Amino acid sequence: GENVEQHPSTLSVQEGDSAVIKCTYSDSASNYFPWYKQELGKGPQLIIDIRSNVGEKKDQRIAVTLNKTAKHFSLHITETQPEDSAVYFCAAYYGQNFVFGPGTRLSVLP
Amino acid sequence: DGGITQSPKYLFRKEGQNVTLSCEQNLNHDAMYWYRQDPGQGLRLIYYSQIVNDFQKGDIAEGYSVSREKKESFPLTVTSAQKNPTAFYLCASNQGRTDTQYFGPGTRLTVL
């Protein structure tokens, strides 16, 4: 079955710096990769997604890149702000369902 | 105001008791899902339903049961057979299998 690894597990950056979170997946049949942001005590919220026919997608300060050959995809957050502090999850669609990474706790320090 | 609602937000249960978590969506989505989240871990799939009156086990279905009698509702029962039920439970839905999943706000269950 599919396995999704996510690194790093924790990440601290200074406000205004960039943050990068990387996920790798095991099955080349996976074709859809969403990223979620989860604030404490709340449900995950979709922030950006990418399908396998696209190499990069941007939405303001957030971007996702996909390398199908290497089977990894990354979340890039530029000009980080304190409100970006949260846990971020990647996921890969495989078979009939999504498989989620273990999450990255991002802390943006003022 | 469309979305997914879960109730209650917090739930306390004594050992040996069954408890039912509610999940309702007004997005007209066909598919609904239940996940369990433990501290520092990702989401693990408990049950999912692609259509009304049909559902399948996920990776950790033991000790849980569900029903899908209506398109908008997918309640989860945590039975006394679940050995470690204390966790954060998340409900999600999407229109089709490869479509984006949208999550509810979650229910935190604590067994006393």
Side-chain angles (χ1 to χ4, degrees):
Chain A
E2 176 65 284
N3 181 51
V4 176
E5 296 184 355
Q6 185 172 347
H7 298 280
S9 57
T10 60
L11 178 60
S12 294
V13 299
Q14 291 294 135
E15 183 176 356
D17 287 349
S18 295
V20 180
I21 302 170
K22 182 177 177 179
C23 288
T24 59
Y25 59 98
S26 59
D27 198 301
S28 57
S30 294
N31 57 13
Y32 174 54
F33 309 92
W35 282 92
Y36 290 89
K37 174 184 180 182
Q38 186 178 28
E39 297 177 345
L40 189 63
K42 297 183 179 180
Q45 298 292 314
L46 178 76
I47 56 172
I48 197 167
D49 57 9
I50 193 167
R51 296 194 181 269
S52 58
N53 59 346
V54 176
E56 183 177 5
K57 184 176 179 180
K58 289 184 178 180
D59 183 4
Q60 300 182 344
R61 296 186 297 111
I62 296 173
V64 56
T65 59
L66 172 64
N67 184 326
K68 290 187 292 183
T69 302
K71 289 187 285 186
H72 67 72
F73 55 110
S74 299
L75 176 70
H76 304 255
I77 306 174
T78 59
E79 303 174 14
T80 54
Q81 302 167 4
E83 52 264 38
D84 293 330
S85 295
V87 177
Y88 291 81
F89 291 96
C90 62
Y93 181 78
Y94 171 75
Q96 296 188 9
N97 289 300
F98 289 88
V99 178
F100 289 83
T104 295
R105 182 173 298 280
L106 173 64
S107 298
V108 179
L109 309 175
Chain B
D1 189 20
I4 303 174
T5 57
Q6 291 186 242
S7 61
K9 186 173 179 64
Y10 299 97
L11 188 56
F12 298 91
R13 188 195 90 176
K14 294 182 179 180
E15 282 192 18
Q17 289 181 336
N18 292 354
V19 63
T20 298
L21 282 59
S22 170
C23 177
E24 304 277 334
Q25 55 98 1
N26 61 5
L27 301 168
N28 200 34
H29 285 169
D30 289 320
M32 297 186 74
Y33 309 78
W34 274 105
Y35 293 92
R36 171 181 171 139
Q37 186 176 32
D38 293 286
Q41 297 188 30
L43 283 64
R44 292 185 290 169
L45 183 63
I46 304 173
Y47 268 97
Y48 64 101
S49 168
Q50 300 288 351
I51 57 173
V52 175
N53 292 323
D54 188 46
F55 49 83
Q56 288 79 41
K57 293 182 179 180
D59 300 323
I60 55 167
E62 185 176 353
Y64 300 97
S65 66
V66 294
S67 63
R68 186 83 187 279
E69 298 178 359
K70 298 186 295 182
K71 186 176 184 178
E72 59 270 24
S73 178
F74 191 39
L76 173 73
T77 296
V78 184
T79 75
S80 57
Q82 169 52 233
K83 299 305 180 186
N84 185 21
T86 294
F88 190 51
Y89 290 87
L90 288 161
C91 178
S93 72
N94 62 1
Q95 182 58 37
R97 291 178 181 177
T98 59
D99 290 334
T100 303
Q101 284 191 355
Y102 295 93
F103 286 85
T107 292
R108 184 166 301 280
L109 172 65
T110 303
V111 175
L112 304 173

